[in-house]
Amino acid sequence: MGIDVRAINRGVAPVTYGTGERPPRGDYAQAHSDYTCDQRWERYTAQDHDLYRRLFERQAAQLPGLACDEFIGAVHRLGDARRIPRFDALSEALHEATRWQIVAVPGLIPEEAFFALLARRKFPVTGWLRRPEEFDYVIEPDVFHDLFGHVPLLFEPMFADYMQAYGEGGLKASRLQSCEFLARLYWYTVEFGLIATPSGLRAYGAGILSSAGELRHSVTSPAPQRIGFDLARIMRTRYRIDSYQASYFVIDSFAQLIEATAPDFAPLYEEVAGASELAPDTRLETDRLY
Ligand code: HBI
Ligand code: FE
């Protein structure tokens, strides 16, 4: 499940998920060498802003009882839901809160570039918005997924620190050729993580929080399995990019994420590399199920 970077002879290489059979989304020719680019807010049309508004309103309406309190408490920081926010204004508010900034990128970027930005507390936000016919589902992260899904929790200090630690870990992983293990950790926490609360399980993963159907599905459906957070188990487990997850991993607190990722990962990578990969729907005897 690597990121397929196809070389082109100018600008930066476009990036796609997986083996690259899907065409890249976004204009990579405008990006700088670190893959950042300008948001070019003026190019959004009234239809874009209206689509963003409808996406926002639909998701915001279903947060109570499904999204974690920290997310619900921070989502208003995205500002006026009727228009796609200007990244520079939002970045100022975010920087004041947790010293994170938002930077525009043309779309998916190579893992090394991604880690390098996170390590500098810069969150890459895709500039383009999905098409109206993708209202219910888009595979690649678009501006709605990145802003609505990821940015609110960057206002939460504990999670903001985890995201930077993840980026720093990623730069080390690149040297150890363990990006795939780290990509799985990102996927099963930052994108599709659940957290246990006294009122029950709640979503904190951006891929869930920005999805019309998966938010309710991940928290309430009997179909998927929900497994207690286990770093090596997560790093062994493959994931699907184009359907609901078969397994979700559950943390007890954001502090647990920080504690679990504090030690050096090299020995863990060795352990994981020596163990078999697991299909997304595998169930192990040792799994702590919810
Ligand atoms: N690029 N723009 C963008 N957004 C992501 O979330 C992203 C990415 N590149 C790689 C990536 N995520 C994952 O493979 C991380 O686990 C590294
Ligand atoms: Fe994402």
Side-chain angles (χ1 to χ4, degrees):
M1 166 49 70
I3 291 275
D4 168 25
V5 176
R6 286 177 298 183
I8 55 170
N9 55 12
R10 65 184 174 80
V12 286
V15 173
T16 60
Y17 265 135
T19 52
E21 67 276 1
R22 298 171 56 78
R25 297 284 293 264
D27 176 7
Y28 288 78
Q30 310 301 324
H32 308 301
S33 56
D34 64 355
Y35 275 83
T36 61
C37 62
D38 298 325
Q39 181 186 13
R40 293 173 42 228
W41 188 85
E42 63 294 338
R43 77 196 147 112
Y44 296 127
T45 64
Q47 289 73 19
D48 289 332
H49 290 300
D50 190 56
L51 179 58
Y52 174 86
R53 176 186 62 77
R54 290 192 296 118
L55 285 164
F56 195 111
E57 286 172 358
R58 176 174 63 174
Q59 280 317 99
Q62 59 169 332
L63 295 177
L66 297 174
C68 66
D69 291 343
E70 294 82 352
F71 182 88
I72 293 176
V75 70
H76 70 282
R77 305 298 299 261
L78 294 177
D80 182 356
R82 289 168 301 173
R83 287 188 301 179
I84 297 168
R86 290 173 188 270
F87 293 178
D88 49 4
L90 185 51
S91 204
E92 261 178 54
L94 180 61
H95 192 261
E96 251 173 62
T98 56
R99 292 180 296 107
W100 271 85
Q101 289 172 277
I102 286 169
V103 288
V105 290
L108 282 170
I109 66 177
E111 288 175 338
E112 293 255 338
F114 184 72
F115 295 139
L117 288 170
L118 295 188
R120 290 162 46 215
R121 291 176 96 92
K122 291 174 186 277
F123 189 77
V125 178
T126 297
W128 57 266
L129 179 71
R130 68 191 72 183
R131 293 186 293 268
E133 59 273 24
E134 297 172 305
F135 183 66
D136 286 330
Y137 186 68
V138 59
I139 288 188
E140 293 81 4
D142 73 336
V143 65
F144 179 74
H145 164 81
D146 282 335
L147 283 183
F148 189 92
H150 285 285
V151 172
L153 279 181
L154 287 175
F155 281 89
E156 158 65 35
M158 194 83 85
F159 194 79
D161 289 348
Y162 169 67
M163 285 291 280
Q164 179 177 16
Y166 177 85
E168 289 164 347
L171 293 174
K172 275 188 240 153
S174 311
R175 287 196 292 280
L176 296 167
Q177 268 73 51
S178 309
C179 285
E180 181 53 33
F181 300 150
L182 216 74
R184 292 171 183 167
L185 174 61
Y186 190 83
W187 194 268
Y188 283 117
T189 56
V190 179
E191 292 294 0
F192 289 91
L194 298 177
I195 185 167
T197 79
S199 334
L201 298 186
R202 295 290 183 268
Y204 73 91
I208 300 178
L209 289 162
S210 60
S211 160
E214 195 158 4
L215 176 51
R216 190 167 305 285
H217 173 86
S218 67
V219 174
T220 63
S221 165
Q225 54 184 10
R226 297 168 181 88
I227 304 168
F229 178 87
D230 171 331
L231 211 41
R233 172 69 164 88
I234 284 176
M235 289 188 173
R236 292 177 59 193
T237 308
R238 286 196 306 275
Y239 55 85
R240 303 169 181 161
I241 65 161
D242 51 8
S243 63
Y244 289 176
Q245 300 309 304
S247 300
Y248 297 96
F249 286 86
V250 183
I251 60 173
D252 299 319
S253 66
F254 292 133
Q256 182 189 15
L257 277 180
I258 295 256
E259 283 143 32
T261 54
D264 176 35
F265 275 2
L268 177 66
Y269 289 149
E270 297 231 335
E271 177 198 335
V272 172
S276 58
E277 271 193 353
L278 302 171
D281 57 356
T282 302
R283 172 165 297 182
L284 295 184
E285 279 302 303
T286 47
D287 287 342
R288 187 164 47 90
L289 294 180
Y290 280 73

